[in-house]
Amino acid sequence: MSCSTCDHSGSHKRAFMARSRTPILFFFVVILAILISLSSPAVAEWSAITGSHMTYTDDVFQFSASRRQKFSEDPSQPTVVPVEKKSDIVWDPSLELIRSSTSSLGPTEVSAKAHGFLYTSNPVFNHADYRLQVKQGLSPDTAVLVRYRYVPNMFLGPNFERRTGTRLIEDERVTSHTGRMEVEQKLGSKWVLNLIGRGGLRLYNEAFAERDTTFWTVGPHVSYAFSDRVTASLGYLFEQGYADGAGDTRFNDDVSYRQHIMSAGLDAGLTEQLSLHLLYLYRRKDFTSELIGDTHLNRHDDTHQGAAELRYRVSQAAMLTLGVQRTQRNSTNETRSFQDTQVSIGGQYRF
């Protein structure tokens, strides 16, 4: 079956669908603008954080998705699993500008960050991550964070398209727009509760346009300080994603899903300068497709990730890091399983 006539009008339909979804991001943009306007530039202080890591990965196709599993990143970023695994060394420089001030509500921190990912042997995967964020204190024990993240035209890998009916191999790319709101509440001297909400859009290139997805996320994250040096944390997120291709028998390619994510972490100060950070994350992703002939039908993925990082504070401004991360995904569709190991060394400096 050929859907070439559908593709000619596809760009117009996608433009309409994108406009119909914009309220989910417009909300976060409005809140960001309000919080920024409330800060007082007369008493503002400026600072900057620059950093970089050099990371070895044994699977370049999984590097970006595995790296963003953390609650503070994007734990539902899609990925492609090809037959051939390629190793590489990735350099990821970043620069964050921060303005600290006092508003009518309390202390305000506005920051903008640009983060690049440069692959040594596979430059087709090069991409950037842009973030605008406001953290507003409402009281000594309460703060709210609002963030907008933009990741444009990221290459996922070659994949079989469904729109022409001939299953051609095309480059699959995705642009992500994500808004995040987080309320932080201190509960006494030892407990901190964070309530997290996210909403966003994933827009694919034309060959995979039926995968365009609207998603939302909600869940708590709690931490407990055993002492000044040791803090443990637990978190849970639920996420729902709804794709344009849901119920569309022309393509049989519905990537809609439900997702459960759980994490457990431990931060331990070993000395005044050296600290150890441990994280375990489990993710279950259930695809909700009901299309006969869709490879997502009755499929679910289970992902386990463990990470450890040593941080050495050279001075109040400088820090060095050494980390290792192991990710393993098992799937009811065996061709979607993968393992990825990353080892990184890096540092950051605050001006």
Side-chain angles (χ1 to χ4, degrees):
M1 178 182 68
S2 175
C3 293
S4 58
T5 55
C6 304
D7 294 337
H8 286 304
S9 60
S11 59
H12 299 289
K13 179 182 176 182
R14 296 186 71 203
F16 171 78
M17 293 297 293
R19 287 195 297 271
S20 67
R21 294 183 180 121
T22 51
I24 197 171
L25 294 175
F26 181 71
F27 169 77
F28 291 98
V29 174
V30 169
I31 298 298
L32 274 170
I34 291 173
L35 292 177
I36 292 173
S37 67
L38 288 174
S39 62
S40 173
V43 294
E45 295 183 359
W46 289 88
S47 59
I49 299 175
T50 181
S52 180
H53 289 80
M54 184 175 66
T55 305
Y56 167 81
T57 175
D58 63 3
D59 191 342
V60 294
F61 291 91
Q62 313 311 324
F63 173 81
S64 59
S66 297
R67 185 183 178 92
R68 292 188 172 97
Q69 291 282 326
K70 302 179 182 66
F71 277 27
S72 60
E73 295 288 334
D74 186 1
S76 59
Q77 180 188 303
T79 184
V80 169
V81 186
V83 175
E84 181 185 7
K85 290 182 64 172
K86 297 180 180 180
S87 62
D88 207 342
I89 294 177
V90 185
W91 178 51
D92 60 308
S94 64
L95 175 63
E96 182 175 13
L97 299 177
I98 304 167
R99 190 187 76 175
S100 303
S101 62
T102 301
S103 73
S104 58
L105 297 176
T108 305
E109 185 178 276
V110 180
S111 65
K113 183 177 181 179
H115 199 163
F117 296 88
L118 306 175
Y119 292 68
T120 303
S121 302
N122 300 273
V124 68
F125 287 95
N126 291 354
H127 66 280
D129 182 324
Y130 305 97
R131 190 195 77 191
L132 179 62
Q133 174 178 295
V134 178
K135 185 173 184 179
Q136 177 65 57
L138 303 178
S139 75
D141 295 330
T142 307
V144 61
L145 178 146
V146 180
R147 174 187 298 161
Y148 168 69
R149 187 190 298 273
Y150 173 56
V151 184
N153 199 36
M154 184 170 62
F155 178 68
L156 299 179
N159 207 347
F160 292 100
E161 58 82 34
R162 306 288 187 92
R163 300 182 73 80
T164 64
T166 56
R167 293 181 63 85
L168 300 174
I169 296 179
E170 299 279 356
D171 287 349
E172 184 176 353
R173 292 181 176 270
V174 65
T175 294
S176 298
H177 302 267
T178 308
R180 179 188 183 97
M181 179 173 287
E182 185 171 336
V183 178
E184 178 183 291
Q185 179 66 51
K186 295 180 181 178
L187 306 173
S189 59
K190 295 183 178 294
W191 292 92
V192 178
L193 172 65
N194 292 76
L195 299 176
I196 302 167
R198 295 198 319 154
L201 307 174
R202 300 200 197 280
L203 302 176
Y204 290 75
N205 54 315
E206 192 63 39
F208 300 91
E210 74 279 359
R211 295 189 169 189
D212 289 356
T213 302
T214 303
F215 65 93
W216 58 269
T217 319
V218 65
H221 184 268
V222 62
S223 60
Y224 177 78
F226 289 97
S227 67
D228 292 340
R229 288 192 176 183
V230 180
T231 300
S233 64
L234 289 172
Y236 167 78
L237 293 177
F238 173 80
E239 181 167 306
Q240 180 89 49
Y242 186 79
D244 283 1
D248 196 331
T249 56
R250 295 174 302 171
F251 310 127
N252 284 325
D253 188 30
D254 179 5
V255 296
S256 303
Y257 64 89
R258 288 189 298 268
Q259 183 167 255
H260 303 273
I261 313 165
M262 289 161 277
S263 74
L266 182 69
D267 296 338
L270 305 180
T271 67
E272 289 295 327
Q273 293 175 297
L274 184 65
S275 60
L276 174 65
H277 301 260
L278 302 175
L279 179 68
Y280 167 74
L281 184 142
Y282 169 74
R283 183 180 77 161
R284 180 181 173 105
K285 186 173 186 178
D286 293 289
F287 289 90
T288 57
S289 174
E290 297 179 351
L291 297 172
I292 302 299
D294 185 0
T295 56
H296 300 96
L297 179 66
N298 297 325
R299 173 185 153 197
H300 71 260
D301 298 341
D302 293 292
T303 301
H304 300 269
Q305 183 178 96
E309 185 176 71
L310 280 171
R311 300 175 184 175
Y312 181 76
R313 187 163 292 281
V314 181
S315 66
Q316 287 294 101
M319 182 170 63
L320 300 176
T321 62
L322 175 64
V324 61
Q325 176 181 286
R326 174 70 171 177
T327 305
Q328 177 175 319
R329 186 172 87 185
N330 300 313
S331 177
T332 50
N333 184 334
E334 293 185 2
T335 62
R336 304 304 182 208
S337 300
F338 71 82
Q339 297 178 354
D340 174 50
T341 301
Q342 299 178 17
V343 180
S344 66
I345 184 171
Q348 70 175 40
Y349 190 87
R350 183 165 188 144
F351 297 91

